[in-house]
């Protein structure tokens, strides 16, 4: 019996310290993981976490075991939530250039799941979601048990525990005072969980304030009361096309490995426009979105409000804000939208934007191939617009058109064909097979960047070829990007700026915007003006309004 007892004691002396060590590692990893996720560097784990000592201190002052168990569970859940928060921030920053907002970001998270479901299938997507939930639950349990284990050890060895906790706090204070870092931006004196909680609290307060200001601004719109005879009088008789070039960002034209190719196309376009008697003015707009969610940019340009979340978009499009398309419709233009990526009517196209005609991939007679995301190549979109709208006697037209050939994944890409050969689009049939599949291209970031540049070259070449081939003295083009491409192309920390140009043959059209100081080229220089995208609507309506209404 004594030998059995001795054996158990020996196993206990080995197992108990091992369990304690594992518990300490689990707790340390839990409180340091937000920094690991944020930086992407394992070195972020080589830091001193204040939250670990604080959590054990909380448990130490609770006298009743049931209360300690509940507290351990709450603390463990809190640590898991900070890890998930960091993961969401990293995912949102790499794709749409902003942190996840727990107040307004849930619709975008839902949309992200929709993209995952579309790309992997419903079964796989829900499997991933279930696995994530189960992993979170398991992590909460393991961290909670680790806290209770360490608390129990501390209660049995109070002197050693107090010494250890004091050493951790002292070490944290010393490295905190000197500002030592292992990973740039990640101090050795770590407060990831506390920092996340404080940051989220500040974010929530800031969001509440900005949303209140946003709601108040919706009711103040002097342009909605401008008489129809005054609205857009400076564009009387003109066909106005607002052409959104997908993912056409500043990175396409400045300081990137692929910008020389795009710049060459733009300079050639400048020369061709000048030879044909056109002039242009260009600048930059700061988009409310990055890497995707294009409709936020479209609605910001249309409404003159900063719409940087799906929540704001839903709020605005369910109301009656006066839009650019409303202004043109009120002033006598026929209005049209063309969204080639859609396969069914756009819900807010009529209910909010009040477009008279809505085009999508199913009602433009296209019988050609799909180019990955892009269901219809840009040249066909231009051709259909010319054939069915612009070439016939018509009431002046205002159209918002999306050109999606430059949408990620940027492969395979179409190339230009003779305009008379376009027909129903079947002329494009051989082209997709001439390009590489996305899964091949996306193994090499450099290759992705080069194909992005080529996609912008194609989109802008289509535009210039259209203007040259179908010369129209009454055509006014507003050409702009919706957002910068994703981080794989734009790089970490890229801004949200996109080029914008206005093209016209009528000098009077550009004279109206002379005070803007935009540059006479399709290629804006680094010194070109930069406006927020929500400023454009009011300035545009003011410039072309007979009464020159000024923004209050």
């Amino acid at each position: 019996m004594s030998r059995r007892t001795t054996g158990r004691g020996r196993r206990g002396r080995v197992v108990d310290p091992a369990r304690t060590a594992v518990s300490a590692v689990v707790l340390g990893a839990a409180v340091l993981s937000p920094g690991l996720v944020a930086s992407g560097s394992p070195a972020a784990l080589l830091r001193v976490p204040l939250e670990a000592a604080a959590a054990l201190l909380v448990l130490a002052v609770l006298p009743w075991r049931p209360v300690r168990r509940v507290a351990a569970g709450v603390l463990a859940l809190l640590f898991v939530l900070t890890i998930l928060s960091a993961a969401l921030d990293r995912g949102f920053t790499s794709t749409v250039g902003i942190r996840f907002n727990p107040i307004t970001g849930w619709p975008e998270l839902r949309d992200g799941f929709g993209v995952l479901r579309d790309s992997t299938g419903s079964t796989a997507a829900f499997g991933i979601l279930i696995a994530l939930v189960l992993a979170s639950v398991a992590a909460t349990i393991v961290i909670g048990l680790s806290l209770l284990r360490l608390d129990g050890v501390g209660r049995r060895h109070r002197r050693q525990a107090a010494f250890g906790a004091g050493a951790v706090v002292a070490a944290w204070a010393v490295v905190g005072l000197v500002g030592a870092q292992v990973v740039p931006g990640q101090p050795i004196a770590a407060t990831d969980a506390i920092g996340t909680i404080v940051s989220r609290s500040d974010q929530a307060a800031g969001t509440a304030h900005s949303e209140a200001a946003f709601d108040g601004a919706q009711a103040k719109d002097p342009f909605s009361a401008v008489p129809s005879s005054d609205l857009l009088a400076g564009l009387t008789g003109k066909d106005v096309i607002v052409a959104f070039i997908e993912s056409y960002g500043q990175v396409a034209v400045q300081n990137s490995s692929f910008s020389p190719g795009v710049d060459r196309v733009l300079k050639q376009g400048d020369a061709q426009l000048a030879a044909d008697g056109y002039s242009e003015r260009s600048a930059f707009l700061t988009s409310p979105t990055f890497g995707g969610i294009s409709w936020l940019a479209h609605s910001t340009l249309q409404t003159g409000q900063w719409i940087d979340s799906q929540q704001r978009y839903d709020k605005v499009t369910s109301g009656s804000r006066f839009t650019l398309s409303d202004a043109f419709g009120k002033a006598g233009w026929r209005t049209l939208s063309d969204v080639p990526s859609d396969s069914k009517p756009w819900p807010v196209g009529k209910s909010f934007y009040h477009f008279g005609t809505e085009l999508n991939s199913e009602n433009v007679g296209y019988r050609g191939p799909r180019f990955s995301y892009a269901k219809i190549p840009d040249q066909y979109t231009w051709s259909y617009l010319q054939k069915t709208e612009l070439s016939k006697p018509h009431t002046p037209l205002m159209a918002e058109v999306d050109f999606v050939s430059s949408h990620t994944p940027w492969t395979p890409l179409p190339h230009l064909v003779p305009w008379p050969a376009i027909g129903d689009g079947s002329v494009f049939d051989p082209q997709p097979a001439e390009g590489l599949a996305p899964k091949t291209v996306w193994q090499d970031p450099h290759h992705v960047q080069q194909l992005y540049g080529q996609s912008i070259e194609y989109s802008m070449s289509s535009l210039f070829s259209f203007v040259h081939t179908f010369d129209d003295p009454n055509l006014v083009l507003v050409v702009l990007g919706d957002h910068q491409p994703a981080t794989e192309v734009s790089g970490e920390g890229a801004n949200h700026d996109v080029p914008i140009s206005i093209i016209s043959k009528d000098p009077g059209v550009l004279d109206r915007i002379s005070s803007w100081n935009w540059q006479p080229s399709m290629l804006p220089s680094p010194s070109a003006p930069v406006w927020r995208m929500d400023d454009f609507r009011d300035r545009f309506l003011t410039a072309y309004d007979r009464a020159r209404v000024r923004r209050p």
Side-chain angles (χ1 to χ4, degrees):
M1 184 173 177
S2 61
R3 285 195 299 268
R4 289 172 60 191
T5 302
T6 302
R8 286 178 179 175
R10 289 173 178 171
R11 285 196 300 273
R13 285 193 296 273
V14 173
V15 172
D16 285 356
R19 287 177 178 172
T20 302
V22 169
S23 296
V25 169
V26 167
L27 179 59
V31 296
L32 292 173
S33 285
L36 169 65
V37 173
S39 66
S41 171
L45 296 175
L46 303 176
R47 298 180 298 148
V48 181
L50 179 64
E51 293 92 336
L56 292 173
L57 178 62
V58 169
L59 295 181
V61 300
L62 297 175
W64 300 286
R65 180 175 296 179
V67 175
R68 290 199 298 274
R69 288 178 176 173
V70 172
V74 171
L75 289 168
L77 178 61
L78 188 63
F79 294 148
V80 170
L81 290 176
T82 61
I83 298 170
L84 293 175
S85 175
L88 287 171
D89 276 350
R90 186 171 178 84
F92 269 61
T93 301
S94 64
T95 54
V96 295
I98 57 173
R99 295 179 62 206
F100 173 71
N101 191 317
I103 306 299
T104 63
W106 299 106
E108 284 92 341
L109 195 60
R110 179 194 61 209
D111 292 339
F113 179 75
V115 172
L116 176 65
R117 185 178 56 206
D118 292 341
S119 60
T120 65
S122 296
T123 301
F126 280 104
I128 293 171
L129 179 61
I130 291 170
L132 178 62
V133 172
L134 292 177
S136 299
V137 171
T140 302
I141 293 172
V142 170
I143 295 169
L145 291 175
S146 298
L147 280 167
L148 291 173
R149 172 76 189 177
L150 295 172
D151 175 65
V153 171
R155 289 176 182 275
R156 291 194 299 272
H157 306 281
R158 292 183 181 275
R159 181 176 298 177
Q160 295 92 326
F163 177 79
V168 169
V169 173
W172 184 90
V174 169
V175 295
L177 286 173
V178 300
Q181 297 182 2
V182 175
V183 179
Q186 296 281 350
I188 294 178
T191 55
D192 292 349
I194 294 174
T196 298
I197 294 169
V198 172
S199 175
R200 288 305 189 199
S201 298
D202 291 344
Q203 187 181 32
T207 299
H209 177 75
S210 65
E211 289 302 303
F214 179 81
D215 292 341
Q218 282 201 75
K220 301 175 183 178
D221 191 351
F223 292 98
S224 62
V226 174
S228 59
S229 58
D230 288 346
L231 273 174
L232 299 162
L235 293 171
T236 299
K238 307 297 185 186
D239 291 319
V240 180
I241 299 177
V242 178
F244 275 101
I245 309 299
E246 172 64 40
S247 300
Y248 181 35
Q250 188 179 54
V251 69
V253 300
Q254 289 179 5
N255 303 321
S256 64
S257 62
F258 45 84
S259 59
V262 177
D263 293 353
R264 182 173 58 254
V265 169
L266 295 177
K267 290 175 182 177
Q268 291 171 350
D270 278 342
Q272 186 64 67
L273 289 171
D276 292 338
Y278 290 89
S279 297
E280 63 286 324
R281 297 292 183 271
S282 299
F284 292 102
L285 299 181
T286 301
S287 174
T289 185
F290 179 96
I293 325 180
S294 304
W295 53 91
L296 303 185
H298 298 188
S299 56
T300 294
L301 189 88
Q302 280 261 12
T303 64
Q305 291 196 284
W306 189 252
I307 303 176
D308 60 352
S309 69
Q310 186 66 37
Q311 179 175 321
R312 282 192 173 185
Y313 178 84
D314 293 340
K315 182 186 297 182
V316 170
T317 56
S318 63
S320 57
R321 178 73 175 182
F322 193 64
T323 63
L324 280 177
S325 51
D326 284 332
F328 277 98
K330 182 178 177 179
W333 272 259
R334 192 165 63 85
T335 58
L336 174 150
S337 71
D338 189 349
V339 188
S341 57
D342 283 355
S343 58
K344 55 187 177 181
W346 185 21
V348 299
K350 287 193 181 296
S351 66
F352 178 68
Y353 292 109
H354 306 119
F355 285 115
T357 301
E358 290 187 69
L359 302 178
N360 56 51
S361 64
E362 301 302 307
N363 62 2
V364 294
Y366 183 68
R367 299 293 179 267
R370 181 171 182 156
F371 291 82
S372 192
Y373 174 89
K375 297 179 181 179
I376 297 176
D378 289 353
Q379 191 182 10
Y380 184 90
T381 299
W382 283 116
S383 175
Y384 185 85
L385 192 64
Q386 172 65 25
K387 180 173 61 177
T388 62
E389 300 292 340
L390 300 177
S391 64
K392 301 175 180 179
H394 61 279
T395 300
L397 176 72
M398 179 270 178
E400 180 185 311
V401 186
D402 298 354
F403 292 92
V404 296
S405 290
S406 50
H407 195 289
T408 182
W410 305 303
T411 185
L413 292 172
H415 55 77
L416 294 178
V417 300
W419 291 92
I422 290 177
D424 65 358
S426 56
V427 67
F428 296 103
D429 281 344
Q431 295 189 11
E434 297 169 4
L436 295 174
K439 65 180 180 181
T440 300
V441 170
W442 281 73
Q443 296 175 13
D444 179 2
H446 179 72
H447 202 174
V448 173
Q449 294 165 6
Q450 293 307 117
L451 285 173
Y452 163 76
Q454 292 173 26
S455 76
I456 298 297
E457 292 177 36
Y458 166 78
S459 292
M460 298 307 293
S461 295
S462 298
L463 162 69
F464 295 135
S465 181
F466 167 78
V467 174
H468 173 66
T469 303
F470 304 104
D471 188 17
D472 184 351
N474 288 319
L475 181 65
V476 175
L477 290 165
V478 180
V479 182
L480 73 156
D482 47 10
H483 52 71
Q484 291 259 50
T487 303
E488 289 89 345
V489 175
S490 294
E492 294 286 346
N495 63 35
H496 286 211
D497 295 346
V498 300
I500 181 170
S501 303
I502 295 181
I503 305 170
S504 177
K505 247 187 175 180
D506 184 348
V509 170
L510 297 183
D511 286 346
R512 288 265 186 157
I513 62 170
S514 59
S515 63
W516 294 2
N517 296 317
W518 286 18
Q519 297 178 342
S521 169
M522 290 297 295
L523 178 58
S525 75
S527 63
V530 181
W531 300 351
R532 284 197 359 161
M533 193 174 282
D534 56 337
D535 286 338
F536 179 81
R537 188 207 69 158
D538 289 12
R539 296 194 186 206
F540 185 84
L541 291 177
T542 296
Y544 294 105
D545 191 308
R546 189 189 312 276
R548 299 276 180 164
V549 174
R550 296 299 179 187
R551 188 173 186 173

